[in-house]
Structure formats: C-alpha cells, structure tokens
Amino acid sequence: MTPSGNDLDALAAEFSALRGTLLATAYRLTGIRSDAEDAVQEAWLRLAGLDEDSRNEIRDLTAWLATVVGRICLDRLRSAHARREHYVGQWLPEPLVTQLDAPKRTDPVDEIVQREDLRLAAMVILDTLTPEQRVAFVLHDALSLPFDEIAAILECSPASARQHASRGRKALADADPPPRSSLEEQRQVLERFLAAILSGDIATITELLHPDVVLIGDADGKARTARQVITGPDKISRFLLGLRRLHPDDALTAATFLLVNGDLGLYVPPHPGSAGYRRLDAHLQVMALRDGRIAAIYDQANPDKLGAVPPAS
C-alpha cells in the first residue's frame, strides 16, 4: 500500500526539513553538485515509494536517509576514482557558486554554502581519502550515523568502519586547512593581488603569498591552467605573471567577485583575444588565506564544472 495524499504531504515536509543537511552531506561525499542533488532526489523517491508498513518500521528518518544517500554516493565515488585515472591534470570539486548580495532564493544550495566543512580548502582534503574513508568519516562526523550502519554501507565490520573514519579524521586534522577569513579581508587581499598582477608588480604578488602557498588548477585538458600543483611564492608569482603577459588588460579587468562555497571567488570570463594575445578561457579562482596571506589558489577552468556560474556575472 503506497502513502495516501496526506501521508505523502507529511512525509515530504519531513524530508524537506532534512534536505539541506542531506545535500551538504552528499556534496561532501562526492564533490559534484549534480551527483549530490541526484543522490538526495533518489533518496526521496525511495522513501516515497515505501508502503505504509515499511515506513512505520523507520525509527530514525535522518539515519535511514543518510544510509540511502551514503550507498548512492559510495557507488559514485568508486566510479569517479576509476574515471580519474584518465583525467588530465589535477581534479578540484565542482564549485558551489552564488552571487554576492543576491536576494534570498529557494535554492537549497543557498542554505549550505556558508558551512565551514564545505569550503574548497576542506573539500580538497576530503578528495585525498579513499571512498571508504570519506563515507565513514562524513556520515559519522556529520550525521552521527552509528558504525554498525556505516559498516553495512561499506560491507565491512564495524571495527573497520571505525578505522576508516579515524583515518579520514586524521587526514583532515593533519592537513590543517586555513580557517575562513572574513569576506572583507578576502576582498582586500584579492583586490591588491589582482592589481599587482595587472601592473606586473612581482614584489607585491610575492608579499601577498604565504610561504607554503600552493596553486592547483583543474581543466581536464579542456582549458589552460597548471597541470601540476605549483608550490612556493616565487614559482607561483612567475607562473601568474607569465600568463598575464599572454592576455590583454581588458580580459582581466572584466573579472567579477562571486561567492564560491561561501568564500570570495574571482570569475574571469572568457575572452577571444586580440592581435598579439591569446584567447582566454573562463576561470573561477578561490584563494584561501592564512595569516592575511594567500595560502592556496584553486583555479577552476574545466568548463564542465563552471555551469553553475550565475549568468549575470
């Protein structure tokens, strides 16, 4: 027997209240917005398709939904790890992009982008984990899902599930992602940094870069960015100035600020180039700050991951 109209409305209301949490969890698990949304939607379809007896057997709806989402995302993660063997260069999570000072929308992404654990700096670290470590760590730490239920998802023992989560937690602690800076501080640093690149001021660029700074580009061979991780202020400043000389001024002055996973990001639109200058691909850059300096630059240039950039930008 399927749910009646009233029962289904009540069920939908309960699910809607959990949707933001589930979406954030699925995104932390996959790093891909569309995969996260698909997993949450599939969880709803499975829930709505249960008969009354099966629904009455659910004692904890959050745990039930988390288990469904976890299984779906585990399959996606394992498939993604296989696909990345053929990925060109580095891989970055798909950004969650929202406009600055935009009116409140009904998009559930607006509800979750301010979460500290969804920042790109944290998401990049999660991507270094195995699928099993990531699922165990996220489901236990974010949703307090018991290890026996996580073990059922991973098809392992509860002790192994606990160990997977512990290794994921340790990796995040050891990596020590920079804490979130205020948007005002981010804007001040990014504006100085952009001005220094435009003027070719290598001294200021180097001054604004943290000694341990890294630059990670993602394009999958479909746009121009760094294929390997670049480390250190000197190498990164010279790399950026080398790129700067390839493009006209108006290509960079067209850049606009957006919110990317709750942090300030810089969107550089595509430019056709002109005499003596190369065509510029679209880029979305996010910079994590530590002690007032840029500790990481995430350069997303893969056009497949820029579909969520608001058209108005």
Side-chain angles (χ1 to χ4, degrees):
M1 180 179 178
T2 56
S4 67
N6 289 340
D7 289 341
L8 195 58
D9 288 344
L11 197 62
E14 287 187 75
F15 179 82
S16 181
L18 295 170
R19 186 177 181 84
T21 298
L22 293 171
L23 184 59
T25 300
Y27 177 72
R28 286 186 76 198
L29 288 175
T30 64
I32 298 292
R33 174 174 175 164
S34 59
D35 283 355
E37 291 174 335
D38 288 349
V40 173
Q41 180 64 17
E42 178 62 25
W44 162 248
L45 292 175
R46 294 186 188 183
L47 177 63
L50 294 177
D51 58 34
E52 184 176 359
D53 291 340
S54 297
R55 284 187 290 113
N56 288 337
E57 291 176 1
I58 299 175
R59 296 289 175 259
D60 184 336
L61 183 60
T62 302
W64 189 92
L65 289 167
T67 299
V68 174
V69 168
R71 286 197 175 102
I72 295 170
C73 290
L74 179 62
D75 289 342
R76 297 288 179 94
L77 272 174
R78 286 171 171 166
S79 175
H81 273 244
R83 292 196 307 271
R84 284 182 211 169
E85 293 179 4
H86 306 287
Y87 202 84
V88 179
Q90 308 303 306
W91 190 95
L92 288 171
E94 180 183 348
L96 300 177
V97 184
T98 49
Q99 290 183 339
L100 281 168
D101 304 320
K104 186 68 177 177
R105 301 180 299 166
T106 57
D107 190 336
V109 168
D110 286 346
E111 302 174 10
I112 67 173
V113 291
Q114 294 298 331
R115 288 180 45 155
E116 182 74 17
D117 56 16
L118 297 186
R119 298 178 60 225
L120 282 182
M123 293 292 298
V124 167
I125 297 168
L126 284 179
D127 202 54
T128 65
L129 307 181
T130 67
E132 293 74 19
Q133 290 169 356
R134 191 165 182 171
V135 168
F137 167 64
V138 171
L139 291 183
H140 183 264
D141 283 43
L143 297 177
S144 300
L145 198 65
F147 283 116
D148 57 344
E149 296 187 35
I150 295 174
I153 296 172
L154 300 179
E155 299 181 338
C156 66
S157 68
S160 294
R162 184 183 299 273
Q163 189 174 53
H164 284 313
S166 177
R167 288 173 176 167
R169 194 178 303 111
K170 184 177 185 301
L172 194 66
D174 289 348
D176 187 27
R180 173 171 274 152
S181 306
S182 70
L183 290 181
E184 182 56 33
E185 181 182 8
Q186 293 178 40
R187 181 185 286 273
Q188 290 175 3
V189 173
L190 264 64
E191 285 180 343
R192 285 189 63 199
F193 192 64
L194 183 59
I197 292 175
L198 283 167
S199 65
D201 184 354
I202 192 169
T204 299
I205 296 172
T206 304
E207 173 193 338
L208 290 171
L209 295 175
H210 191 276
D212 300 323
V213 64
V214 297
L215 186 152
I216 305 174
D218 178 348
D220 194 21
K222 300 170 184 177
R224 291 189 178 94
T225 188
R227 288 198 177 186
Q228 302 299 322
V229 178
I230 305 177
T231 60
D234 183 63
K235 289 182 179 179
I236 290 175
S237 60
R238 294 184 185 281
F239 171 77
L240 292 174
L241 285 180
L243 290 179
R244 162 71 185 90
R245 288 190 286 269
L246 298 177
H247 306 290
D249 289 351
D250 60 342
L252 298 181
T253 54
T256 56
F257 286 120
L258 296 170
L259 284 178
V260 183
N261 293 54
D263 284 323
L264 199 63
L266 191 67
Y267 176 67
V268 182
H271 189 281
S274 57
Y277 292 105
R278 288 187 183 178
R279 175 181 61 85
L280 177 65
D281 302 302
H283 289 254
L284 183 64
Q285 295 188 338
V286 180
M287 303 179 193
L289 306 185
R290 188 187 295 277
D291 302 325
R293 291 193 284 180
I294 299 168
I297 301 173
Y298 306 111
D299 182 28
Q300 183 56 260
N302 186 342
D304 297 338
K305 298 181 184 180
L306 294 178
V309 174
S313 67

